[in-house]
Amino acid sequence: MGAGAGSGRGQLFLRSLLFLLLAGPPARHPARGQLRYAVPEELEHGAFVANLGEDLGLDVSTLSARRFRIVSRAGARQHLEVNLENGILFVNERIDREEVCEAGGTCLLHLQLLVESPLELYRVEVEVLDINDHAPTFPWQEYVLEVAESAVLGARFPLESAQDPDVGTNSVHTYRLSPNPFFSLEVQTRSDASKFAELVLERALDREQQRVHRVLLTALDGGVPERSGTAHILVTVLDANDNVPAFDQPSYGVSLPEDAPAGTLVIQLNATDLDEGPNGEIEYSFSGHAPPRVRELFHVEPRSGQVLLKGRLDYERASLHELYVQAKDRGPSAVAVHCRVLVHLLDVNDNAPEVTLTSVSTPVLEDAPPGTVIAVISVLDRDSGDNGRVSCEVSPNVPFELRSSFRNYYTLVTTQALDREVVPEYNVSITARDMGSPALLTRSTLTIPVSDVNDNAPRFLQPSYSVYVMENNAPGASICSVSALDPDCQQNAYLSYSIADGHIHGMPVGTYVSINSDSGHMYALRSLDYEQIRSFQIQVQAQDAGFPPLSANVTVHIFVLDQNDNAPVIVSPLPRNGSVATELVPRSARPGYLVGTVSAVDADAGLNSRLSYQLLQATDFTLFSVAPDTGELRTLRSFLEQDASRQQLVVQVRDGGQPALSATVSLLLSVVETMPQTLSDFSEFSLPPEVSSSSPLTLYLLVSLGSVSFTFLLAILILTAIRCRGERRSRQGDSCSPPRCHCCPGSRPSSDGLKTSNLTAQPPAGTTAATCLDVPAGGPPGYCYKVCLGPESAQSDFMFLKPCSPPRNNEKDPGKRSRPDQHLQVSKEAKQPNTDWLPPSTQRPVLKRY
């Protein structure tokens, strides 16, 4: 290594700063959303590159939340990184330009920056600037150059070139030769601007005087600071072999497809030597500074000069290979001549496109609007030209499309509204196809699950439900089950059932039925009675657990079915005061004479309420019959003299249920010669209300009751007046002994044997007022009888009381026989007629008239 190679990395910072100043501000392209920066190679970790947050106009405080990051291919080295706290792009690891970019020219790092919420993509190019970090090197530190002593002055001897991985001014710039009297150095420039040195003979050689000459060759680059490399050249003077081989041309060019197989002939080289014998036999080989990559790919046949392909070519790695081949005869003092072979590779469509899912936002909500970005997709084809041009498309019949944002970058977006209930998941096939011939394609499948949204209300399996429940059901028994479906999933499909508020016959619906909120099973909370309620309806609601919750209602009609649980009830005739019903029948009645009608009702319905009548017992079954359907009681024949005047019948009423229920009524028929104008027990329910209300018989009854009431009131008034008169006269007579007669205090029998009546004291409060009169009876002397007339009865009730004491002859004080406060107390209340025997108007369907 030269003196320049000894300089360490202490000046790396100054060189980096110089390159940054020379690079100037980053080139921005707002129209394309692309930034370009320049950074020198070999910077240490953490070195500043650019402030992306400021240059892209992003809020630095949201970079971490929006997941601002550099997207790179799997396995690629991450040379640069972004600080999410300040948005600064810095060096993550040391960048070696010669390692990153093997070929010469501009070395670019292509960065794809991705930020989410919303999803945005930026493209940044970072140019890696070369620094002079490599010194020129020779293939060997010392090599031998054989020169014939017959070489003429001015003869040129090409020397091995030095190699410098740096580019531009940092590559090999010139050569320098140590001072000596025999040789000088001349630097030549090739067509590709590379430098090589030729040793020029300046003084004739004399092998006998000096057989070996040693010179130092130094290669210098143009970097700052300058670096150099040296090689020792040992010049051996040989006897004369005065002709050197010569190639047909100094440079050759050939084109070769990159998919050429091993063993393919690349080029046939030809060099000639005018000498004869061994001095004219030529051998071909690579020059000493041929890179290892060239030696791996190509092979030179020493004798024939054929250049053959040995390895596998790759256009995408290097499109041009430069071969330096030398030809040298086998004579003494052989001089090697060189030629350059440029192998141009022809691109073949041998690389299928690569599809990379840069960012995927799944699952996607089913209510996502059209245009929602699902994924960012990058495609890459390493071929060139048409072979590297790629078109991308998605499978048909899916609600997605690809939109191109940058070259070879696409965004997958929705084209229409999604419906998870129709398609819960999409398998989107993405096809990338290049323009080569034949075209190569790559398919990648992206699975996109659709996330559920509560957009479907529950739906019952039936529009309405009809439930038939037998009455007298057991409380708590299940009567039916309702079911609803919700096409949503998870909690949006979890249903709970409830009964809407309402009333059934004034009672809350919750007192009749309940429902299991999970299963939808409905239960009767009470025993239903067909005679009280025959049908009712409730509203059942099914509600999901989504947010906001959705619900649906359905009407459940509940019909109560009848059971034969009610026996017939006799409504006519009705017995009076616990006795049997009585009826008068004229002895002159002919066959078919309608005695009366037995009427009954049954609270059940249908066959359970269909009644039939039959004569169960009778004094004489040949005399009467009952119509089975109507209950009419008629005579079968005329009455005979020997027929009993009192006929007792038992009529049974039977319903049509299973098992059948029945009721009986006992009738007492009296056979009379003439019919009185009185009502029978059958008349209570014989006529409808409108007929009975207008009957003259009802008017007669009302007049009779009024007359009786008036007569009773008049009798009370007369008795009161008599009592008051008797009080005044009784002061002169005898009275019963107070200690021995409690029913008639202050009274005595009159001279005619009758005892003047005297009323009892007024009854206590809260009791029914009664009028009591003390009168003498025709029985044994000394006994009193009490007449009590109460408002509840129109008859007199006689009470047998204790005997009164006989009158005392020595008792003469009239004041002890009567007191002023014991005057007659007469109730002035008018007694109302007793209407208990009158049937209600609704229970008088037929009124029999005689």
Side-chain angles (χ1 to χ4, degrees), residues 657-698:
Q658 293 294 332
L661 300 177
S662 63
T664 59
V665 60
S666 297
L667 304 175
L668 182 59
L669 303 182
S670 298
V671 181
V672 296
E673 297 296 335
T674 59
M675 292 294 295
Q677 294 297 324
T678 58
L679 285 174
S680 67
D681 291 336
F682 282 103
S683 62
E684 294 182 359
F685 299 91
S686 57
L687 287 178
E690 60 273 10
V691 178
S692 63
S693 61
S694 61
S695 173
L697 184 58
T698 304

Side-chain angles (χ1 to χ4, degrees), residues 554-578:
V554 69
T555 301
V556 179
H557 301 273
I558 300 178
F559 299 93
V560 182
L561 301 180
D562 183 42
Q563 273 187 340
N564 192 23
D565 57 344
N566 291 279
V569 177
I570 306 295
V571 297
S572 173
L574 291 177
R576 295 185 180 181
N577 300 325

